[in-house]
Amino acid sequence: MSAPARAESLARLERLVAALRAKGLVSEEELAAMQARTDRASPEIGARMVARAWLDPTWRALLLQDGAAAAERMGVSMAGAPPLGVLENRPGLHHLVVCTLCSCYPRAVLGYPPGWYKSFEYRSRAVRDPRGVLAEWGTTLPAGTKVRVVDSTADYRWMVLPMRPEGTEGWSEDQLAALVTRDALVGVALPQVPARAAA
Amino acid sequence: MSADPAPDPTPRFAPGARVRVRDAWPERRRLPSGAPSCHIRTPHYLRGREGEVQAVLGAFANPEDLAFARPAPRRLLYHVLFAQPPIWQEGGEGDTLLVEIFEHWLEPAPESADASGKEAA
């Protein structure tokens, strides 16, 4: 999704890493551990957290109270990560997350942000015309739903807890997690039940 | 992580408090080199706007100092809810913006009846 790194950016990164190594500020092991943790993070973690919240009220309460503690309980290392806040969609209220100032994103539980999340277009329009942005995503909210745009400006990172779609009664955590896309966790989309599965 | 000997400050505003974001523009000052003189996490579109404190999120090292590698005292961070239509003249009735704002950017909202933001006049 993201544009490939430019050669001059990579060269600057290599010089920075070399300087940090020379000063003894980072070790190979630390870099490898950080890279492994970063690579492990993906929207599947956030999706699993949501699916569990749909099934387990106790877990849901923990998730809404302290997202980072909930992530830790699922085995995600949140050491050094910013606090994680979880925004509960409910009938009549839909959340949409943006970072107008840069590209703050809950990487620990969603992985790398997609290119569009970092684009000037999304960052400027989501906060000003969220309903227009949602319409362009093909996302239709139930009539009467208010939109709440969460501008991630400071020290928290924010993830949306979407509403469980109808037609999923009796589904397992795995089945439910498969419905929760990265886009639903940012709030530009809603979890969709595939037509054949809903039958 | 260095231990901060100072305890977290006491919140000046409680959830439900009406507040106004300071209508300040320190980024207009430039260093003699022309470089920006500050780093601010308060979006420009909220300067001078009124909202309601939804939650006290805790105390965090002031990013305005961190950005310049200065000692950064911990400042309280709030989640503040704003009505969207008065800010952008767009959006639906009841649509809102929820934004993290540091305490030093907030002041009590004026008591006047028409204090609904810059466009009230």
Side-chain angles (χ1 to χ4, degrees):
Chain A
M1 271 298 213
S2 303
R6 290 172 299 168
E8 61 264 36
S9 302
L10 290 173
R12 189 185 307 141
L13 173 65
E14 284 178 14
R15 289 199 299 277
L16 174 63
V17 171
L20 292 170
R21 274 193 194 124
K23 288 178 178 289
L25 293 173
V26 295
S27 68
E28 289 295 338
E29 293 73 24
E30 284 170 327
L31 284 176
M34 177 67 77
Q35 187 160 7
R37 193 165 76 197
T38 307
D39 288 346
R40 260 199 312 275
S42 86
E44 290 172 23
I45 298 173
R48 172 82 40 190
M49 295 167 80
V50 165
R52 198 165 292 183
W54 287 344
L55 292 171
D56 180 348
T58 308
W59 167 265
R60 182 188 190 91
L62 171 67
L63 185 65
L64 292 172
Q65 191 199 355
D66 186 342
E72 290 270 7
R73 198 167 294 187
M74 274 198 10
V76 179
S77 171
M78 298 295 283
L84 174 66
V86 178
L87 306 156
E88 181 184 33
N89 283 354
R90 52 181 189 264
L93 181 65
H94 178 83
H95 292 88
L96 177 70
V97 180
V98 63
C99 173
T100 58
L101 298 176
C102 47
S103 56
C104 297
Y105 191 75
R107 292 179 181 229
V109 293
L110 292 192
Y112 288 106
W116 58 260
Y117 184 85
K118 300 186 276 187
S119 68
F120 282 114
E121 290 82 356
Y122 179 73
R123 288 165 48 204
S124 48
R125 290 195 56 223
V127 74
R128 173 170 183 162
D129 181 22
R131 290 179 178 273
V133 170
L134 289 170
E136 286 169 28
W137 277 84
T139 298
T140 308
L141 302 176
T145 303
K146 310 296 187 199
V147 175
R148 179 164 296 175
V149 178
V150 178
D151 190 355
S152 186
T153 51
D155 287 73
Y156 265 67
R157 299 296 177 268
W158 301 99
M159 180 183 94
V160 175
L161 170 57
M163 285 193 292
R164 180 173 175 171
E166 290 179 12
T168 59
E169 292 73 22
W171 285 33
S172 70
E173 186 178 301
D174 283 348
Q175 287 174 303
L176 291 170
L179 301 180
V180 184
T181 61
R182 175 196 66 201
D183 299 345
L185 295 164
V186 176
V188 291
L190 300 175
Q192 301 290 339
V193 179
R196 62 180 185 282
Chain B
M1 284 219 178
S2 59
D4 190 334
D8 283 349
T10 305
R12 181 181 176 199
F13 304 104
R18 295 288 304 171
V19 290
R20 183 167 67 181
V21 180
R22 287 175 48 221
D23 193 5
W25 300 85
E27 61 268 70
R28 287 180 181 162
R29 292 194 301 270
R30 293 268 159 174
L31 298 175
S33 66
S37 60
C38 55
H39 170 81
I40 293 168
R41 306 298 307 180
T42 305
H44 68 87
Y45 63 83
L46 292 176
R47 310 279 172 88
R49 298 296 181 170
E50 287 184 25
E52 182 179 307
V53 170
Q54 193 180 70
V56 184
L57 293 172
F60 297 89
N62 185 359
E64 296 169 22
D65 293 319
L66 285 180
F68 292 89
R70 297 188 292 249
R74 291 164 70 80
R75 299 281 183 99
L76 282 159
L77 185 65
Y78 294 82
H79 230 187
V80 184
L81 190 65
F82 302 86
Q84 198 225 3
I87 293 177
W88 293 112
Q89 322 297 323
E90 292 183 39
E93 182 66 33
D95 287 353
T96 47
L97 294 154
L98 185 58
V99 186
E100 292 154 79
I101 309 280
F102 278 95
E103 186 175 87
H104 60 281
W105 274 92
L106 296 175
E107 56 196 13
E111 298 286 336
S112 62
D114 63 345
S116 56
K118 278 185 189 173
E119 318 304 331

